Amino acid sequence: MCQTNHERLYITQDKWNQMIDHGKWQKYITNSFIVNVFFGFITRLLGKSVIKRDASWGNWQRLFFVIAIILLPHRHVLANDNPQLMLDDEKPAISMSLSTRDISEVEAFVDKLVNKEIAKHSVPGVTVSIVKDGEIVLLKGYGFADLGKQLQVNPKTSMFKVGSITKTMTALAVMQLVEQGELALDTDVNKYLSAFKIPQTFKEPITIRALLSHRAGFEVADAGNLFAANSSKVVSTQEFLATRMPKRIWPPGLNVSYSNYGFGLLGYLVEQKSGLDLATYMQRHIFAPLGMQNTTLQEPLTNNDGLKPISAELAQQLTIGYFQDNKGENLAKPFVFMSQIAGAGGVTSSTYDMALYMIARMDNDKYSGGNLVNTYTSRDMKQRLYNDRPLATGIMYGMFDGQYRGYERLSHGGGTPTFLSNMVMYPELNLGVFISINVVGSDSNVVDFLPDLILRNFYRPYPTKSPQKAKPPISQYMFSEQDLEKYTGRWLNTRRSYSQLEKLSALSKSVTISLGERGDLVMKSFDGQLTLREISSGVFKGLSRDAPIFYFYQGPNGDVERFSASMWSADYERVSFIQSPDFFYVTLALSSLISLATLLLGFIRSRRGRHFSLFEKLASFSATTILFVVLGFILIDSGLVFDQYAINLDFPSIHVKVVLWLVLITLVTTSVMIVSLPLVWRAKDLGWFDKLHYLVFTASSLNFLYVFWLWNAIGFNYYS
């Protein structure tokens, strides 16, 4: 849900860039599978600079088989000097305090920006709230909560799904029980579980501390699991957690890997220790004390005896969610259920209620005095759970903690199949911004960039920080090329699946690091590049003011094996060429070319009246299945043919299964070709060129299947 996801590499610059408005057709073609195969492989493998595309392209990089919404579970935006939303006549304004400016200027700024996005990208509805010094200074609704009924967004009553922002509330509920002695941060969570247990894969147990900071070590297992299309498919949280448990990959505390399952587990612990379902607990202990009357975890369930449905009154206030197809049309979609993993993203709320929530989170008196947590717990929740990367973005109790223009920045985004939201708070300014839209698939970036644009336009930079957060000066040319060589290589995002088909989503999450020309490193992805300068041993920073900072870590053998990237909701680990997306790309590209050559040769021979041997027919059939697999990738990836929403929500969909069946057919034909190689070699009616071509094509097909095996795309377990 938070889109996370939320996965692109930002190109930070010390200037403003206008957002390029790419057409729908251009967007899908440019980001389609086949272009990524050839363009990505050639530019990256040959060492050429990756074309610096606009950051908005990265938002819609299509994943193979896996929905963008699975990457949305954390759409955290890295604070940088290159926000991509600009008004045509906009210039950065400078002020020390929002309270010293006429609030009408802020309202006019937000109105102009939001209305432009609505018109430009066909956004159905937008809701925005801004709080300052414990007061709501702006509360606006734009567009429609229901296009069919022409029902306008009401910021006080229209309820939007906030997705993963729910995690900040789940963390609060957990800490309420911690201060009561019902839970403990560093206790093995298995001690609180009876119906099922977490496997003891490592000697270190999973703790609440690890779960709250996304360091439990779980792989990603979101595709097809997070959302239920209808009420009948909703299962109990206990059943969900017991039967859809992801595999443990690393010891707790090692790597950051954003985990929806982990926060679903935290919500379940709240239920176990409080004796209440999570919806009732949050209503009594968080929403009611803060006056959040239009906020709930309950959903419009029917025929489900285990869960209480939402009240009729609140059900009338639910905003309709939309999915924008490749033609730019907003298609109304039914309510998507998350009761089975509610702690990860099940809250529905109005922007007025979210304003009350932000005020409480920033005002210690209201926070602790409002029967939420005591002063000591409130103080603890303002610290990071792990402080092994103090200069970089970190995670504190469900919130991402970073900096923007010298100010501390606490944030969390949220995404569902039809809603995108963002909540950003600047505690030193006592300023908070919440924004939500009721559409997914639009090119608009307003959810990501509005909070930082407000800060940039109405506040001066404030670089002074406390000593423990002060950033050391960058010393150029301190390190030799030999010193930097150990950091180069291919790296893959840890927020991925390792044992399931969903691993294919990581094909768009790779990074390549190479030596720069001036004693620095160049980090490249499909979305751009970032120049890094070493500021201390193993610590690197981008050259721009608010560029990210990365910590590199050595393994037991002394080699650099991983680096931190919390702002992207995951870390990165080194992979070999064979394990990298580059190998996948080049294999599919070469297999496609060899398959086309096989069919072309067969066509030429048939035109000359030559008789086809059984072996040549087998090779032609196998070449056809390989090309259909690649074509299926293109069609699913581009979204131009199939209903992308259906593929996203019901993974693996029938379209994906058809492609997987073709892969299995290729497995059968390739096996037959391997067995028949001795017969082909002894065949007298085939020339040496035909035999050599058959051998090359068989090897190509085998390699084609090998990369599918590496990326978990061969097997019958995806057809249930």
Side-chain angles (χ1 to χ4, degrees):
M1 280 121 348
C2 162
Q3 126 176 323
T4 179
N5 139 249
H6 327 149
E7 312 297 345
R8 55 183 177 272
L9 188 62
Y10 290 87
I11 309 169
T12 55
Q13 302 173 354
D14 292 319
K15 63 180 181 179
W16 291 84
N17 293 324
Q18 297 287 344
M19 184 171 70
I20 301 172
D21 182 25
H22 301 284
K24 287 282 182 178
W25 179 264
Q26 183 182 4
K27 178 188 74 172
Y28 284 114
I29 293 300
T30 307
N31 289 288
S32 70
F33 168 78
I34 201 67
V35 172
N36 280 333
V37 169
F38 291 101
F39 172 79
F41 171 69
I42 292 173
T43 55
R44 296 174 63 187
L45 207 59
L46 298 183
K48 296 181 180 180
S49 296
V50 175
I51 293 178
K52 295 183 180 180
R53 296 179 289 175
D54 183 83
S56 63
W57 288 34
N59 278 343
W60 306 109
Q61 180 113 3
R62 296 291 176 177
L63 306 179
F64 304 102
F65 299 141
V66 180
I67 61 172
I69 205 63
I70 297 304
L71 297 184
L72 289 174
H74 184 253
R75 291 174 57 87
H76 172 68
V77 180
L78 172 65
N80 61 76
D81 282 334
N82 187 35
Q84 298 298 305
L85 281 174
M86 287 292 296
L87 302 179
D88 294 335
D89 57 351
E90 185 176 77
K91 294 181 180 179
I94 299 176
S95 177
M96 284 304 294
S97 174
L98 184 62
S99 60
T100 64
R101 300 285 296 270
D102 185 350
I103 195 61
S104 63
E105 293 185 40
V106 180
E107 184 173 359
F109 174 83
V110 174
D111 286 349
K112 187 174 183 180
L113 185 115
V114 172
N115 286 326
K116 181 176 180 180
E117 289 299 296
I118 289 175
K120 189 174 185 180
H121 300 296
S122 299
V123 178
V126 182
T127 186
V128 179
S129 60
I130 302 176
V131 300
K132 179 72 175 75
D133 298 328
E135 302 292 337
I136 301 175
V137 297
L138 187 142
L139 188 68
K140 296 293 292 282
Y142 305 84
F144 298 97
D146 187 331
L147 286 172
K149 296 180 180 179
Q150 291 291 284
L151 181 64
Q152 294 185 333
V153 173
N154 185 323
K156 285 195 173 183
T157 59
S158 297
M159 297 170 62
F160 285 62
K161 272 285 190 182
V162 302
S164 282
I165 298 176
T166 303
K167 292 180 174 67
T168 68
M169 303 171 185
T170 301
L172 176 56
V174 167
M175 292 309 296
Q176 288 177 335
L177 295 175
V178 168
E179 75 175 19
Q180 295 170 22
E182 296 293 333
L183 296 171
L185 286 177
D186 297 308
T187 296
D188 183 349
V189 295
N190 273 333
K191 293 185 178 180
Y192 303 121
L193 301 174
S194 57
F196 63 93
K197 297 288 185 180
I198 307 297
Q200 296 290 348
T201 308
F202 302 95
K203 65 178 182 179
E204 301 90 345
I206 292 178
T207 64
I208 289 176
R209 180 184 302 275
L211 291 170
L212 285 170
S213 53
H214 297 286
R215 292 201 189 191
F218 289 121
E219 69 171 336
V220 172
D222 292 341
N225 290 328
L226 285 183
F227 308 107
N230 57 68
S231 179
S232 64
K233 293 185 178 181
V234 174
V235 299
S236 69
T237 302
Q238 178 176 295
E239 180 181 346
F240 178 93
L241 295 173
T243 61
R244 306 181 194 183
M245 187 182 300
K247 185 178 179 180
R248 294 183 64 183
I249 305 299
W250 317 280
L254 184 67
N255 283 321
V256 171
S257 179
Y258 191 92
S259 177
N260 287 301
Y261 181 91
F263 267 80
L265 181 57
L266 286 171
Y268 179 69
L269 294 180
V270 171
E271 294 181 334
Q272 292 296 291
K273 302 308 292 185
S274 70
L276 302 172
D277 64 86
L278 190 61
T280 301
Y281 181 91
M282 284 199 179
Q283 175 60 37
R284 293 182 184 178
H285 299 282
I286 297 178
F287 304 150
L290 295 181
M292 299 170 67
Q293 298 179 5
N294 297 309
T295 302
T296 185
L297 270 169
Q298 293 172 343
E299 299 181 326
L301 296 165
T302 57
N303 301 322
N304 194 307
D305 298 330
L307 296 169
K308 183 179 178 180
I310 190 173
S311 68
E313 180 183 358
L314 291 182
Q316 293 296 319
Q317 297 171 202
L318 295 175
T319 299
I320 301 298
Y322 296 86
F323 186 86
Q324 196 169 107
D325 64 13
N326 58 79
K327 298 178 181 178
E329 182 179 354
N330 293 315
L331 306 177
K333 297 298 180 180
F335 191 93
V336 175
F337 298 88
M338 288 197 65
S339 295
Q340 65 272 19
I341 190 171
V347 165
T348 308
S349 182
S350 70
T351 191
Y352 175 77
D353 282 8
M354 291 304 298
L356 297 177
Y357 180 66
M358 288 190 292
I359 290 172
R361 292 301 299 250
M362 289 187 292
D363 189 324
N364 188 63
D365 290 334
K366 291 186 178 181
Y367 194 51
S368 59
N371 296 321
L372 294 183
V373 292
N374 62 38
T375 302
Y376 300 104
T377 302
S378 176
R379 179 199 60 196
D380 291 342
M381 291 184 70
K382 292 180 172 63
Q383 307 299 318
R384 297 184 183 185
L385 289 144
Y386 293 87
N387 202 29
D388 54 347
R389 46 187 80 168
L391 303 180
T393 299
I395 300 173
M396 52 167 65
Y397 299 86
M399 296 286 287
F400 285 78
D401 173 38
Q403 286 191 24
Y404 182 58
R405 296 175 67 79
Y407 299 100
E408 184 177 21
R409 182 183 190 275
L410 302 179
S411 66
H412 210 298
T416 75
T418 51
F419 289 89
L420 299 175
S421 304
N422 196 14
M423 180 181 70
V424 179
M425 295 178 286
Y426 308 97
E428 295 153 313
L429 299 172
N430 220 351
L431 173 70
V433 181
F434 172 80
I435 178 172
S436 185
I437 65 176
N438 59 338
V439 66
V440 167
S442 167
D443 284 334
S444 176
N445 289 326
V446 66
V447 169
D448 287 338
F449 293 112
L450 177 65
D452 288 340
L453 284 175
I454 290 172
L455 180 74
R456 182 163 194 133
N457 277 268
F458 296 97
Y459 287 89
R460 292 193 184 105
Y462 188 72
T464 304
K465 306 301 295 182
S466 56
Q468 66 268 25
K469 289 191 176 182
K471 297 178 182 179
I474 296 178
S475 300
Q476 299 188 26
Y477 319 120
M478 288 174 53
F479 303 92
S480 67
E481 189 172 296
Q482 184 177 1
D483 292 328
L484 296 177
E485 186 72 36
K486 61 184 178 183
Y487 301 107
T488 62
R490 296 175 177 84
W491 308 80
L492 207 55
N493 193 300
T494 57
R495 186 182 171 187
R496 69 182 193 269
S497 174
Y498 287 71
S499 64
Q500 302 181 35
L501 178 62
E502 192 175 350
K503 182 180 180 180
L504 285 168
S505 68
L507 289 169
S508 64
K509 301 180 186 178
S510 65
V511 162
T512 300
I513 298 178
S514 58
L515 292 174
E517 298 178 354
R518 303 183 60 187
D520 49 33
L521 296 176
V522 178
M523 181 181 289
K524 296 179 181 179
S525 77
F526 278 122
D527 301 308
Q529 69 180 40
L530 188 66
T531 300
L532 304 179
R533 190 66 48 79
E534 192 164 17
I535 58 178
S536 63
S537 180
V539 183
F540 289 78
K541 183 185 184 300
L543 298 186
S544 300
R545 169 196 170 99
D546 288 300
I549 291 178
F550 303 95
Y551 284 73
F552 286 76
Y553 303 99
Q554 294 182 350
N557 58 1
D559 295 334
V560 177
E561 293 183 347
R562 58 193 180 90
F563 68 83
S564 67
S566 300
M567 77 294 294
W568 296 326
S569 66
D571 291 342
Y572 281 75
E573 56 186 2
R574 187 190 295 274
V575 294
S576 66
F577 171 68
I578 290 178
Q579 295 172 314
S580 72
D582 289 334
F583 183 64
F584 182 91
Y585 296 150
V586 69
T587 296
L588 264 64
L590 291 178
S591 296
S592 299
L593 291 175
I594 294 174
S595 296
L596 284 171
T598 299
L599 294 178
L600 181 60
L601 287 173
F603 175 76
I604 293 174
R605 290 167 182 165
S606 65
R607 295 284 293 180
R608 294 177 178 177
R610 175 177 169 177
H611 175 69
F612 256 32
S613 68
L614 180 62
F615 307 119
E616 291 172 308
K617 291 179 180 178
L618 178 63
S620 296
F621 178 77
S622 185
T624 302
T625 60
I626 289 174
L627 291 174
F628 269 115
V629 169
V630 176
L631 179 62
F633 268 39
I634 296 173
L635 296 179
I636 294 173
D637 182 47
S638 68
L640 289 172
V641 177
F642 301 122
D643 182 352
Q644 199 70 25
Y645 175 85
I647 293 176
N648 294 348
L649 196 62
D650 186 24
F651 179 86
S653 67
I654 183 62
H655 319 89
V656 174
K657 291 178 180 179
V658 167
V659 174
L660 294 178
W661 272 115
L662 290 174
V663 174
L664 290 176
I665 293 173
T666 304
L667 175 63
V668 173
T669 57
T670 301
S671 300
V672 175
M673 286 191 298
I674 293 173
V675 172
S676 64
L677 277 174
L679 298 177
V680 171
W681 210 250
R682 292 196 298 267
K684 296 182 179 179
D685 57 336
L686 294 176
W688 68 268
F689 178 81
D690 298 324
K691 295 178 181 179
L692 181 61
H693 175 261
Y694 190 87
L695 179 63
V696 170
F697 177 72
T698 302
S700 172
S701 300
L702 187 61
N703 194 43
F704 179 84
L705 292 168
Y706 176 64
V707 298
F708 274 80
W709 176 77
L710 281 177
W711 292 85
N712 301 331
I714 294 180
F716 292 94
N717 52 318
Y718 310 121
Y719 296 93
S720 59

